[in-house]
């Protein structure tokens, strides 16, 4: 009799205890081989070998392509062992030869297919283009790495296939493995080990130890050097394995029991369904975890179906597994035979109707063997134990249902969810039923079909994780995220500031993709801009005031044939519905470019439209920060106020009624492609709006100076904007037609917009947003009123920057300290506002005093406040500023 040894660290060895056991042919009950019986010491030796091999990098350090080459050698060695493997499997496990002969072929296919997929399709490393954390600029990527030492514990029903299912993915993904086959069926796994050795898989990468589960299982599942356990077997043992693995928090995948429903709808092809039900239950003597052991049959066809199924079951030939005429062989063991007999007794006692089978079979010419007849129970209630508990033998329960819904409900009334089937001539109906069943696999008009790239695994108590396919490969890797900071410098790190008194961010990146064209008549550049952008169908977005001033028509004329329409219903401080309505207009006209003509309200709406047009859905879907990865719908912005700078900024401020506040889209990809600064477009702006929008720009510039994000580029832009506003605001107030001064104001607003994009701005903005949303105070007016107060609040945190602001505002700072100059800057702002006729108090613009506390609470949560030069953590301080401004 042949003797099989354990395979540890590349060697075939006897057990350290010297023990061995016999493997029995279940078809004859005769011993066919002896096998070394591993104990704790052998398990520890195998784990040590696997650990050493993994840690050495001899396997895990290879590229997936190099491992694929080795797996192909492995597959070739399996091919060479093919006949021996098939015959041994057949004798050892009771699988009929017609089934066992596929084992090696399937194994070869799996090794080759999965190793090729791992080498060519698996995402070993993946860039994360947008991390979702706006405070941590840099590169983020993930790596998938092998887990380490894996233990595979496999059952006796498909010993060879299960060995491949565990060894292949573990090795392909760079792990090492200790495999423990079921003691009654160890032989094929030990032959596979021979093939691995012959293929030159390095020592210790594959180890196979045989023996009964108890002590071996405990050692394998609790050993600290084991990183993962992949188990296939009963739910009961699965629970125990999970418990044992929890001690050292091992990764666990479990493929456990099932009580799957095979649903026969009233419109099924009767012969096909009968065949599917018999194949789904009696194939391999019913010893398959996902067998359709609950056949659910429509009441309309129940009697006819049952009759045909009985006849078909009785026509199956039960015989010795090596006899080529056998449809079914023996059960695997005496123990399994006893289990089946016990459940048949239970079924009869529970009141189910045994219509065929229910007895052992004697095979002619053979003494002994665990043969059992295909057994059908009719009139089964799904609550019976025979319908709820896994029998793992050729016993099927046939259950009646009245509607598809009831069939789904019965199917789902189980602790298991592994497989299942639907038979119907209506594919759509069958798919609806398949979707309703809570289970890992559903076959329609088929059963027991596996494929290398189709994942297999359980819902509910049928398991954890998946095998096969890319999903199965993922189960053998761990995900590592690697973040590389954009700038490796303490003072450039926004997050470290949380534990530091130094809030300033020193490093920066600067990106301003908007092309700017400025000057009288700059509008005429729009035609070429359209051509350069490759666009032909511009939609003009504007508001009624701007249209009435004749500005939108100027643009329409300049666009000539490239204009497909004009949408002029954008309100001041637009909300998401305004964006959706404008997007709808753009969709209807099939616009390929948006031309915004207006102030911040129109330009911001246009930004929202460009994102929604490009990405679909509604504006509310796109209120995100820094998530876009590519250019959006082209946008040409023509500002008609000299205020927001939105024509060059990366922000769109949109009111969300759901959130009850202004929310943002912030992204480099929403910066308009071109900004046209033509002074003719602001000359019609009424005096009051001229002043309040100018205060918006001035607030951008001054807050940019004191922001924690400020840098030298931003400072340059901001200071020049302040100078231009200080010089030109009085001029445009005096004469709105002063074209040169109007252009300078536009340039100032654009410069301030750029500065604001870098600086993300500060407390005055947060406070202005709040009174804007709660009291409808125009943004610029609210900014202006609170700005000098916020400058004074910031004085001890940004005196040097505010001193520069003072100079830009024309204050003679000679002889002043920075602090004195900073306070003088605040005074100068107030003086400028008075000179320009800007409202000076919140009470003058409709804010009620009793609402100030609620404003303070809202303001503190505004994003802009995060970047204020002085940290703002106390709503009482903000309330105090509101009171000063009141
Ligand atoms: N995206 C950004 O970077 C950014 C920055 C700051 C503010 N904002 C937002 O911008 C909005 C405010 O924009 P705004 O201050 O430019 O005002 P606005 O766009 O709301 O326009 C105000 C009014 O002025 C009228 N108007 C505009 N230009 C005119 C002209 N040339 N002649 C006659 N009438 C004219 C409009 O018809 C409108 O009634 C707010 O919602 C604010 O939150 C956006």
């Amino acid at each position: 009799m042949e003797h099989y040894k354990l395979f540890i660290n590349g060697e075939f060895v006897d057990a350290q205890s010297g023990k061995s056991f016999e493997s029995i042919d279940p078809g004859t009950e005769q011993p066919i081989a002896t096998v070394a019986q591993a104990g704790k010491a052998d398990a520890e030796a195998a784990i040590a070998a696997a650990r050493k091999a993994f840690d050495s990098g001899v396997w895990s350090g290879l590229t997936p392509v190099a491992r694929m080459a080795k797996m192909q050698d492995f597959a070739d060695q399996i091919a060479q062992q093919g006949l021996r493997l098939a015959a041994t499997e057949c004798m050892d496990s009771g699988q009929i030869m017609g089934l066992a002969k596929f084992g090696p072929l399937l194994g070869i296919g799996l090794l080759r297919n999965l190793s090729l997929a791992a080498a060519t399709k698996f995402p070993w490393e993946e860039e994360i283009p947008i991390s979702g954390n706006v405070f941590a600029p840099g590169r983020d990527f993930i790596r998938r790495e092998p887990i380490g030492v894996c233990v595979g514990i496999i059952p006796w029903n498909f010993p060879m296939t299960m060995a491949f299912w565990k060894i292949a993915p573990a090795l392909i993904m760079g792990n090492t493995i200790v495999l423990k086959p079921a003691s009654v069926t160890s032989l094929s796994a030990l032959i596979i080990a021979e093939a691995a050795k012959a293929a030159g898989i390095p020592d210790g990468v594959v180890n196979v130890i045989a023996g009964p589960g108890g002590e071996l299982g405990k050692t394998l599942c609790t050993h600290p050097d084991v990183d993962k356990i992949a188990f296939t077997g009963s739910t009961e043992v699965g629970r125990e394995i999970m418990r044992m693995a929890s001690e050292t928090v091992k990764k666990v995948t479990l493929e456990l029991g099932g009580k799957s429903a095979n649903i026969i709808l009233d419109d099924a092809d009767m012969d096909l369904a009968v065949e599917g039900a018999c194949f789904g239950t009696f194939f391999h003597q019913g010893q398959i975890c996902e067998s359709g052991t609950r056949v659910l049959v429509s009441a309309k066809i129940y009697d006819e179906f049952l009759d045909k199924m009985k006849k078909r079951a009785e026509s199956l030939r039960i015989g010795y597994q090596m006899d080529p005429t056998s449809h079914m062989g023996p059960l695997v063991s005496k123990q399994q035979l006893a289990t089946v007999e016990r459940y048949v007794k239970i079924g009869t006692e529970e009141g189910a109707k045994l219509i065929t089978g229910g007895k052992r079979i004697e095979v002619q010419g053979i003494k002994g063997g665990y043969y059992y007849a295909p057994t059908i129970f009719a009139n089964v209630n799904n609550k019976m134990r025979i319908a709820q508990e896994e029998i793992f033998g050729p016993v099927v329960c046939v259950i009646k249902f009245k509607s598809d819904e009831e069939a789904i409900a019965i199917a789902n009334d189980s602790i298991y969810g592994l497989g299942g089937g639907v038979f119907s001539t209506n594919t759509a109906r069958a798919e609806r039923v398949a979707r309703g069943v809570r289970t890992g696999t559903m076959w329609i008009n088929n059963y027991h079909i596996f494929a290398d790239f189709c994942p297999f695994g359980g819902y509910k108590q049928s398991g954890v994780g998946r095998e096969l396919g890319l999903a199965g490969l993922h189960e053998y890797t761990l995900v590592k995220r690697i973040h590389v900071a954009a700038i490796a410098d303490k003072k450039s790190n926004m997050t470290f500031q949380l534990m530091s008194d130094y809030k300033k961010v020193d490093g920066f990146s600067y990106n301003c993709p908007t092309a700017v064209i400025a000057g009288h008549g700059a509008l005429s550049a729009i035609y070429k801009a359209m051509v350069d952008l490759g666009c032909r169908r511009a939609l003009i977005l504007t508001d009624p005031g701007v249209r009435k001033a004749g500005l939108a028509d100027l643009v329409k004329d300049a666009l000539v044939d490239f204009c497909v329409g004009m949408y002029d219903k954008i309100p001041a401080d637009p909300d998401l519905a305004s964006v959706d309505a404008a997007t709808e207009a753009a969709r209807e006209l099939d616009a390929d470019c948006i031309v915004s003509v207006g102030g911040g309200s129109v330009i911001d709406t246009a930004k929202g439209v460009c994102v929604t047009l490009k990405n679909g859905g509604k504006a509310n879907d796109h209120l995100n920060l820094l998530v876009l990865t590519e250019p959006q719908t082209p946008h040409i912005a023509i500002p008609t106020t000299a205020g927001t700078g939105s024509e060059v900024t990366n922000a769109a401020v949109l009111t969300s009624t759901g959130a009850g506040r202004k929310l943002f889209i912030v992204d480099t990809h929403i910066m308009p492609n071109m900004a046209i600064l033509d002074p003719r477009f602001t000359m019609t702006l009424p005096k009051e709006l001229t002043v309040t929008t100018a205060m918006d720009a001035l607030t951008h510039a001054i807050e940019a100076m004191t922001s924690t994000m400020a840098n030298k580029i931003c400072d340059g832009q901001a200071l020049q904007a302040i100078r231009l506003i200080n010089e030109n605001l009085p001029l445009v107030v005096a004469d709105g037609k002063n074209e040169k001064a109007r252009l300078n104001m536009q340039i100032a607003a654009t410069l301030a917009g750029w500065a604001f994009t870098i600086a993300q701005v500060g407390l005055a903005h947060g406070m202005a947003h709040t009174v804007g949303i709660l009291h409808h105070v125009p943004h610029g007016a609210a900014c202006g009123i609170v700005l000098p107060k916020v400058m004074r609040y910031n004085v001890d945190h940004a005196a040097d920057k505010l001193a520069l602001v003072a100079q830009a505002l024309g204050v003679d700072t000679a002889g002043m300290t920075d602090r004195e100059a900073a306070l003088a800057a605040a005074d100068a702002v107030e003086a400028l506002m008075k000179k320009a006729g800007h409202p000076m108090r919140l009470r003058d613009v409709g804010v009620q005093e009793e609402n100030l506390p609620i404003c303070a609470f809202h303001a503190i949560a505004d994003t802009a406040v995060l970047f204020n030069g002085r940290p703002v953590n106390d709503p009482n301080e903000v309330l105090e500023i509101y009171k000063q401004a009141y």
Side-chain angles (χ1 to χ4, degrees):
M1 206 167 13
E2 208 174 345
H3 178 64
Y4 285 79
K5 294 182 175 181
L6 312 175
F7 185 59
I8 297 174
N9 202 22
E11 300 295 332
F12 284 93
V13 292
D14 271 316
Q16 292 189 31
S17 66
K19 283 191 192 164
S20 62
F21 62 95
E22 285 181 336
S23 207
I24 306 288
D25 171 352
T28 60
E29 299 184 43
Q30 296 303 308
I32 52 169
T34 55
V35 186
Q37 180 177 333
K40 188 165 187 260
D42 307 294
E44 284 171 351
I47 293 167
R51 182 84 259 163
K52 191 163 157 241
F54 182 80
D55 293 345
S56 74
V58 63
W59 185 251
S60 58
L62 295 182
T63 63
V65 173
R67 282 200 294 264
M68 174 177 72
K70 272 284 158 218
M71 297 313 278
Q72 287 164 347
D73 294 345
F74 189 7
D76 286 347
Q77 290 302 322
I78 298 293
Q80 293 199 21
Q81 299 274 11
L83 183 60
R84 181 181 164 214
L85 266 170
T88 309
E89 183 83 334
C90 176
M91 281 186 80
D92 198 29
S93 75
Q95 261 177 37
I96 56 168
M97 195 57 192
L99 170 60
K101 72 180 180 191
F102 286 110
L105 297 176
L106 294 174
I108 291 164
L110 191 76
L111 291 169
R112 287 184 165 272
N113 277 338
L114 288 189
S115 60
L116 179 65
T120 57
K121 293 195 181 73
F122 191 80
W124 289 98
E125 281 201 2
E126 244 180 306
E127 292 296 318
I128 302 177
I130 33 164
S131 76
N133 182 343
V134 298
F135 297 104
R139 180 183 171 211
D140 284 280
F141 64 103
I142 52 177
R143 271 173 62 73
R144 292 190 172 83
E145 300 181 345
I147 300 174
V149 175
C150 300
V151 159
I153 302 179
I154 56 174
W156 42 255
N157 59 341
F158 284 92
M160 180 182 357
T161 299
M162 290 298 109
F164 285 126
W165 281 26
K166 302 298 183 238
I167 294 174
L171 262 58
I172 287 166
M173 304 316 280
N175 304 277
T176 58
I177 188 166
V178 178
L179 183 79
K180 193 201 89 60
S183 53
V184 289
T185 56
S186 315
L187 307 187
S188 52
L190 289 162
I191 299 173
I192 291 171
E194 283 181 36
K197 185 175 168 82
I201 306 276
D203 294 349
V205 172
V206 178
N207 305 274
V208 181
I209 54 173
E215 189 192 24
L216 273 191
K218 190 168 173 214
T219 309
L220 294 172
C221 296
T222 56
H223 199 291
D225 276 347
V226 171
D227 301 298
K228 173 187 165 107
I229 301 184
F231 168 75
T232 298
S234 71
T235 295
E236 196 185 337
V237 177
R239 288 191 196 102
E240 184 55 26
I241 285 183
M242 225 175 177
R243 258 194 293 273
M244 288 193 285
S246 70
E247 292 264 316
T248 44
V249 195
K250 301 187 193 313
K251 314 292 166 268
V252 178
T253 45
L254 304 172
E255 202 271 272
L256 308 176
K259 196 76 196 178
S260 302
N262 196 355
I263 302 170
I264 317 297
L265 301 183
D266 53 22
D267 64 356
D269 174 320
M270 181 63 76
D271 290 342
L272 176 72
V274 167
E275 200 58 32
C278 288
F279 180 69
T281 317
F282 302 132
F283 185 56
H284 192 31
Q285 296 77 264
Q287 301 168 122
I288 311 180
C289 48
E290 37 67 16
S291 287
T293 49
R294 290 184 296 153
V295 175
L296 277 43
V297 184
S298 163
K300 291 183 195 154
I301 57 167
Y302 187 82
D303 293 339
E304 183 191 352
F305 181 88
L306 203 59
D307 188 45
K308 290 197 165 172
M309 189 177 178
K310 176 178 184 295
K311 288 200 180 89
R312 182 67 181 108
E314 286 169 357
S315 76
L316 292 168
R317 278 193 302 275
I318 294 104
Y320 185 53
Q321 65 267 30
M322 293 198 101
D323 176 348
T325 63
S326 299
H327 294 138
M328 290 169 66
L331 295 177
V332 72
S333 64
K334 197 180 219 159
Q335 200 189 350
Q336 198 52 32
L337 179 68
T339 304
V340 170
E341 289 182 319
R342 184 160 50 86
Y343 271 106
V344 170
K345 191 161 169 275
I346 291 171
T348 315
E349 284 165 7
E350 283 180 310
K353 187 172 167 201
L354 181 69
I355 63 163
T356 186
K359 58 177 192 294
R360 288 183 69 165
I361 297 266
E362 279 187 22
V363 172
Q364 229 184 356
I366 296 180
K367 202 164 148 278
Y370 314 123
Y371 301 95
Y372 201 85
T375 300
I376 302 176
F377 276 112
N379 296 353
V380 176
N381 178 323
N382 195 54
K383 298 287 178 212
M384 291 177 180
R385 282 183 65 192
I386 54 165
Q388 288 291 328
E389 296 173 22
E390 186 173 47
I391 301 172
F392 229 67
V395 181
V396 63
C397 301
V398 185
I399 301 173
K400 203 185 279 186
F401 67 83
K402 290 204 185 66
S403 65
D404 294 8
E405 290 68 33
E406 194 194 1
I408 293 169
I410 296 171
N412 287 337
D413 179 15
S414 170
I415 60 163
Y416 297 113
L418 192 55
V422 189
F423 283 80
S424 167
T425 47
N426 181 335
T427 309
R429 182 179 171 198
E431 285 185 12
R432 268 198 298 278
V433 171
R435 286 194 187 95
V437 182
R438 303 273 305 155
T439 189
T441 296
M442 282 297 275
W443 290 284
I444 292 175
N445 293 330
N446 218 333
Y447 216 93
H448 288 319
I449 299 301
F450 289 85
D452 294 347
F453 293 116
C454 299
F456 178 69
Y459 278 36
K460 299 190 263 182
Q461 295 189 33
S462 286
V464 178
R466 291 293 175 270
E467 298 193 278
L468 305 179
L470 289 187
L473 295 182
H474 278 281
E475 302 277 4
Y476 284 85
T477 59
L478 293 173
V479 174
K480 176 184 282 175
R481 176 251 185 144
I482 298 180
H483 167 84
V484 189
I487 303 177
D489 169 54
K490 185 176 114 176
K491 290 184 176 171
S492 302
N493 187 307
M494 274 180 263
T495 319
F496 289 176
Q497 291 170 2
L498 289 170
M499 273 173 57
S500 156
D501 296 330
Y502 186 86
K503 302 290 178 195
K504 185 84 198 57
V505 178
D506 282 358
F508 63 91
S509 66
Y510 184 60
N511 188 354
C512 52
T514 308
V516 176
I517 180 154
H520 178 96
L523 174 63
S524 58
I526 198 168
Y527 198 84
K528 181 170 184 306
M530 283 288 290
V531 174
D532 291 348
L533 287 168
C535 297
R536 291 290 181 274
R537 302 180 62 80
L539 170 67
I540 295 175
L541 295 189
T542 190
D543 67 30
V546 172
R547 181 156 199 192
K548 197 162 159 230
L551 304 174
D553 286 319
L554 268 181
V555 178
K556 186 166 178 263
D557 292 347
L559 279 168
V560 203
D561 294 348
F562 287 162
C563 180
V564 291
M566 190 187 293
Y567 179 88
D568 66 1
K569 296 188 189 63
I570 295 167
D573 294 324
D575 62 4
L576 297 170
S578 322
V579 179
D580 288 335
T583 304
E584 215 31 62
R587 283 181 181 143
E588 268 166 30
L589 291 165
D590 200 16
D592 62 6
C593 179
I594 300 298
V595 175
S596 56
V597 187
S601 297
V602 169
I603 301 175
D604 284 11
T605 303
K607 288 172 173 175
V609 169
C610 290
V611 175
T612 314
L613 258 191
K614 168 90 183 172
N615 301 289
K618 298 206 161 225
N620 195 32
D621 306 336
H622 305 294
L623 291 174
N624 290 316
L625 309 186
L626 304 178
V627 301
L628 302 172
T629 53
E630 56 183 353
Q632 303 299 294
T633 304
H635 177 193
I636 298 170
I638 306 177
T640 64
T641 61
T644 66
S646 182
E647 64 275 8
V648 293
T649 72
N650 64 353
V653 187
L654 299 166
T655 300
S656 159
T657 37
R661 58 172 59 228
K662 289 189 176 187
L663 295 177
F664 306 87
I665 304 174
V666 176
D667 208 296
T668 307
H669 290 295
I670 67 166
M671 292 175 166
N673 300 65
M674 177 175 251
I676 297 177
L677 309 184
D678 190 324
R680 291 177 295 164
F681 283 81
T682 50
M683 284 181 356
T684 51
L685 193 64
K687 188 168 155 186
E688 193 186 298
L689 277 167
T690 301
V691 177
T692 53
T693 53
M695 284 315 291
D696 187 8
L698 187 69
T699 312
H700 286 163
I702 293 178
E703 291 218 291
M705 290 295 290
T706 56
S707 158
T708 54
M709 302 292 288
N711 62 53
K712 297 289 182 288
I713 291 178
C714 169
D715 290 354
Q717 291 161 334
L719 287 171
Q720 178 66 352
I722 296 165
R723 275 186 207 110
L724 287 173
I725 293 167
N726 189 50
E727 281 167 18
N728 293 282
L729 180 58
L731 299 179
V732 293
V733 169
D735 174 12
K737 302 282 175 214
N738 181 336
E739 196 174 302
K740 197 170 159 211
R742 284 289 193 189
L743 180 60
N744 281 336
M745 288 300 290
Q746 281 184 307
I747 293 168
T750 296
L751 284 168
W754 272 320
F756 144 62
T757 293
I758 295 171
Q760 303 293 303
V761 183
L763 177 58
H765 268 82
M767 294 177 69
H769 287 153
T770 305
V771 290
I773 185 81
L774 296 179
H775 298 284
H776 307 292
V777 180
H779 184 66
C783 276
I785 294 171
V786 296
L787 175 64
K789 323 301 186 226
V790 171
M791 289 167 76
R792 292 186 187 110
Y793 173 78
N794 283 335
V795 73
D796 290 324
H797 286 76
D800 53 341
K801 299 304 269 312
L802 288 171
L804 293 173
V805 171
Q807 287 169 8
L809 286 167
V811 177
D812 180 2
T813 58
M816 288 187 188
T817 62
D818 279 354
R819 196 171 194 282
E820 287 162 350
L823 292 171
D827 297 341
V829 169
E830 277 171 347
L832 180 65
M833 286 164 67
K834 277 189 190 133
K835 194 162 152 194
H838 192 280
M840 300 303 289
R841 298 180 305 183
L842 288 174
R843 71 175 73 216
D844 301 335
V845 290
V847 178
Q848 279 104 44
E849 192 170 10
E850 63 269 25
N851 287 341
L852 295 181
I854 186 82
C855 287
F857 271 104
H858 274 275
I860 209 159
D862 191 282
T863 328
V865 174
L866 288 173
F867 307 98
N868 193 60
R870 173 175 171 178
V872 187
N873 299 318
D874 183 354
N876 287 318
E877 289 179 357
V878 180
L879 179 60
E880 190 50 39
I881 302 171
Y882 271 129
K883 282 184 179 161
Q884 288 167 15
Y886 193 75

